Amino acid sequence: MTDPNAQTPDPNVPPQQPVPPQPAATAGPLPQDQDIQWASFAHLGGILGFLPSLIIWLVFKDRGQFTNVEAKEALNFQITMLIGYVIGAVLSIILIGGLISLAVWVISIVFSIIAFLRVKDGQHYRYPFALRLIK
């Protein structure tokens, strides 16, 4: 039984050759100015929390050495701040938690801005206190 909707190939049109799949394009290394830019954004993103640092580190860790080092540093600091927020939330039962959360918020903003200003000039920045969980 044949398909009544099937079209017979036109003898004047050559058959199409299948197109081989193209390899995925890999991103090259970052130029120095972009490496510094993304590294500084990783620190400045700390104002919003740990996600900007995590995303920048995951996307650019293999493309720029400076970004890899600085994004890890920023991420470690933001994880430390997240732990501080959790402690503040737990201690909010005895009313001191609000003060702890406020202090963590201020410290996070101040040190993120200091780190951003230092890193945008191409200098490495190490936070005075941070759990170094990501090596």
Side-chain angles (χ1 to χ4, degrees):
M1 187 156 166
T2 60
D3 185 7
N5 295 327
Q7 298 177 353
T8 59
D10 188 1
N12 297 328
V13 177
Q16 292 183 347
Q17 297 295 325
V19 178
Q22 299 294 324
T26 58
L30 290 173
Q32 183 179 5
D33 60 333
Q34 288 184 8
D35 197 15
I36 292 171
Q37 177 185 15
W38 283 109
S40 62
F41 286 163
H43 287 287
L44 189 62
I47 293 173
L48 302 174
F50 73 94
L51 279 179
S53 303
L54 176 63
I55 292 169
I56 289 171
W57 180 64
L58 289 174
V59 171
F60 295 109
K61 67 181 177 180
D62 297 328
R63 295 185 57 200
Q65 182 60 31
F66 191 68
T67 300
N68 181 28
V69 170
E70 294 303 319
K72 278 194 289 191
E73 181 69 19
L75 184 58
N76 282 326
F77 180 70
Q78 291 308 319
I79 291 171
T80 305
M81 294 297 99
L82 182 64
I83 293 170
Y85 284 127
V86 170
I87 291 171
V90 169
L91 292 178
S92 66
I93 297 170
I94 57 173
L95 302 176
I96 196 169
L99 293 174
I100 291 174
S101 294
L102 179 65
V104 169
W105 178 70
V106 169
I107 289 169
S108 177
I109 289 176
V110 168
F111 281 112
S112 292
I113 291 173
I114 291 170
F116 167 75
L117 293 174
R118 187 82 56 86
V119 170
K120 80 173 180 63
D121 293 333
Q123 302 172 6
H124 288 285
Y125 184 78
R126 190 148 171 105
Y127 290 95
F129 56 91
L131 299 174
R132 308 280 188 256
L133 300 174
I134 300 173
K135 304 273 181 199

